[in-house]
Amino acid sequence: MLELRFFANFREAVGQKTLEREYPDGTTVGEVLTDLVDEYDLDVFEDGDLRPQLSIMKNGKDVVHLDGADTRLDDGDTLSVFPPVAGGSTGARTAR
């Protein structure tokens, strides 16, 4: 069983913070995300690859530093999907 976690606009699209889904061991991040795109119309791919602005985490590690969309998942793994983070403060303070 995989635990799928969603944040911000992805949570809104899915309608809940977490889902549990059964997938065979060795299923890839890309395969799980393709299922979610088909089911919830999530915008996670760009030109066939994961959108670079997203953070897709397997057990707390960004899949970019693993095998990207080809990262394999096993029973008990958690996959978290974060939207792009933008912004910052326009009134930044400098250290004194």
Side-chain angles (χ1 to χ4, degrees):
M1 184 75 64
L2 296 178
E3 181 178 351
L4 308 173
R5 295 181 181 174
F6 305 95
F7 298 86
N9 59 323
F10 291 124
R11 181 184 301 171
E12 292 173 20
V14 172
Q16 53 193 353
K17 182 178 180 173
T18 61
L19 293 174
E20 288 189 347
R21 294 281 171 91
E22 194 74 39
Y23 284 94
D25 284 351
T27 298
T28 66
V29 167
E31 291 168 331
V32 171
L33 292 175
T34 297
D35 286 351
L36 295 170
V37 166
D38 292 344
E39 189 172 347
Y40 298 106
D41 196 30
L42 301 183
D43 186 17
V44 297
F45 293 108
E46 182 177 286
D47 298 326
D49 291 320
L50 295 175
R51 289 181 54 210
Q53 308 89 339
L54 300 180
S55 290
I56 310 294
M57 312 288 277
K58 173 191 171 183
N59 302 329
K61 294 181 182 175
D62 197 321
V63 299
V64 166
H65 303 296
L66 300 171
D67 291 320
D70 294 328
T71 300
R72 297 197 175 279
L73 299 166
D74 294 309
D75 187 47
D77 284 344
T78 299
L79 189 67
S80 302
V81 184
F82 294 87
V85 177
S89 175
T90 57
R93 296 179 189 226
T94 57
R96 293 180 193 217

